[in-house]
Each structure stands twice: as C-alpha cells, then as structure tokens.
Amino acid sequence: MPSLIFNGVTYGISPTRFEATRELLSRFAEGHTIGVTMSLTHGGARHHLYITPGVPITLVE
C-alpha cells in the first residue's frame, strides 16, 4: 500500500489519494494553491492534516 511521510510520521494512503497528492504537490510547485486539509490514518487513528507549500512530504509507492 502506498504511504505518505509528513512531519516524520508515515500515513497509509489509498492509491487514488496518492495520485491526488502527487498532483497537489505539483500545484504547490507551480504556485497554484496555498494549502489543503487531508484526513489520513496512522496506527488505526484518523488524523486531520493541513499541508502547505514548503513542508517536507515524501510519497512512498
């Protein structure tokens, strides 16, 4: 299963959301968006994250 590493925490992410996140990071790089709220799971708990440009994010396929 793909995952996203944000602030040192690895979150499970669906393949569909993975592709949407890849597109979001491209929009950040192009300066077309200022942030997004995402709901992801870690350790069975749901976390609501606000992701903004410049925050380190790693996508793991």
Side-chain angles (χ1 to χ4, degrees), residues 2-40:
S3 58
L4 176 146
I5 302 171
F6 177 72
N7 285 340
V9 179
T10 301
Y11 297 91
I13 188 168
S14 72
T16 302
R17 186 163 287 186
F18 183 89
E19 290 305 321
T21 303
R22 188 191 314 261
E23 182 178 325
L24 172 70
L25 295 178
S26 295
R27 289 177 167 265
F28 281 163
E30 296 165 0
H32 295 300
T33 191
I34 58 171
V36 67
T37 301
M38 294 181 75
S39 180
L40 299 172

